């Protein structure tokens, strides 16, 4: 079973081509035009053992909002498509990741019910040129398009870069767990018979 997807999204604001292999080796090829997001997606691929390719051309001369949002949309769509009928997956994932003084927890349920619950405060409004409010925008669009429950809890932290990095690493590890095939699971892991 090949769990891959390729997504193309062209709007008046962005042009994005994205490919995802859930059962990858942690390889990434990323051209986002948003350096901090590129860094976070590289971490995401590495720590989730996903192969991720992103080629994005967006209106970053305005700001990074549209590009960040649309990459979140495409990644969520790719995750949903690559998972297919979700037979045999663990469905739930939970990860705590420390990054120096920061500790983030991400819990996911690949439930077909989109929801983002985010308990995080960022000490700084920017990391480099990146607006930290875009982390919420990215995660909300990812959860919406992947149709998953996504809970993000930052237990503590002082450095904004460290906090966001811990979130993305924890997201990767939680999704790696949730998408893992468990040979004990027959069919879909739901009493409803579908996800």
């Amino acid at each position: 079973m090949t769990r891959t997807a390729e997504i193309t999204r062209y709007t008046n604001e962005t042009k994005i081509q994205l490919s995802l292999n859930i059962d990858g080796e942690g390889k990434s090829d990323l051209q986002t035009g948003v350096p901090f997001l590129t860094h976070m997606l590289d971490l995401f691929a590495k720590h989730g053992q996903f192969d991720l390719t992103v080629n994005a051309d967006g209106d970053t001369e305005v700001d990074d909002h549209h590009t960040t949002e649309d990459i979140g949309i495409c990644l969520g769509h790719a995750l949903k498509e690559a998972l297919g009928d979700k037979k045999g997956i663990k469905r739930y994932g939970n990860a705590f990741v420390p990054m120096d003084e920061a500790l983030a927890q991400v819990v996911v349920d690949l439930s077909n019910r989109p929801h983002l619950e985010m308990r995080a405060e960022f000490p700084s409004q920017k990391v480099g040129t990146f607006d930290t409010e875009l982390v919420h925008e990215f995660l909300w669009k990812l959860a919406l398009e992947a149709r998953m429950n996504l809970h993000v809890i930052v237990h503590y932290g002082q450095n904004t870069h460290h906090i966001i990095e811990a979130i993305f690493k924890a997201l990767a590890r939680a999704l790696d767990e949730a998408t893992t095939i468990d040979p004990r699971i027959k069919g879909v892991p739901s009493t409803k018979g579908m996800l």
Side-chain angles (χ1 to χ4, degrees), residues 8-169:
T8 300
R9 177 181 168 87
Y10 285 5
T11 73
N12 290 334
E13 298 163 343
T14 63
K15 293 177 175 57
I16 297 171
Q17 294 173 309
L18 182 148
S19 67
L20 174 69
N21 178 359
I22 290 174
D23 304 306
E25 299 175 353
K27 296 178 181 176
S28 63
D29 182 5
L30 307 167
Q31 308 295 324
T32 73
V34 181
F36 185 73
L37 181 61
T38 299
H39 179 39
M40 293 302 107
L41 291 174
D42 186 39
L43 297 169
F44 172 80
K46 184 71 172 176
H47 289 273
Q49 292 297 300
F50 307 125
D51 290 345
L52 178 64
T53 301
V54 179
N55 191 338
D57 181 18
D59 57 356
T60 53
E61 71 281 359
V62 175
D63 67 8
D64 296 336
H65 185 108
H66 296 139
T67 302
T68 302
E69 177 181 32
D70 286 7
I71 290 173
I73 288 170
C74 290
L75 182 57
H77 189 178
L79 182 61
K80 182 176 184 297
E81 186 176 307
L83 282 170
D85 61 14
K86 301 181 184 174
K87 286 183 179 174
I89 65 166
K90 288 189 173 182
R91 177 180 167 179
Y92 298 99
N94 177 35
F96 287 87
V97 170
M99 178 67 193
D100 293 351
E101 85 299 339
L103 178 65
Q105 179 184 13
V106 173
V107 185
V108 300
D109 176 10
L110 299 173
S111 60
N112 203 34
R113 294 190 308 276
H115 183 81
L116 171 65
E117 195 67 39
M118 188 164 172
R119 306 291 168 90
E121 293 182 12
F122 302 127
S124 302
Q125 292 183 338
K126 283 187 178 288
V127 176
T129 60
F130 186 81
D131 293 317
T132 55
E133 68 180 11
L134 294 179
V135 174
H136 184 280
E137 194 67 31
F138 176 88
L139 293 173
W140 167 228
K141 293 311 183 326
L142 173 67
L144 187 63
E145 294 299 322
R147 297 195 58 81
M148 68 176 169
N149 270 214
L150 173 56
H151 291 246
V152 178
I153 305 144
V154 174
H155 292 280
Y156 42 80
Q158 297 174 342
N159 181 288
T160 301
H161 187 133
H162 293 168
I163 292 168
I164 297 170
E165 185 164 328
I167 289 170
F168 272 80
K169 287 177 177 177

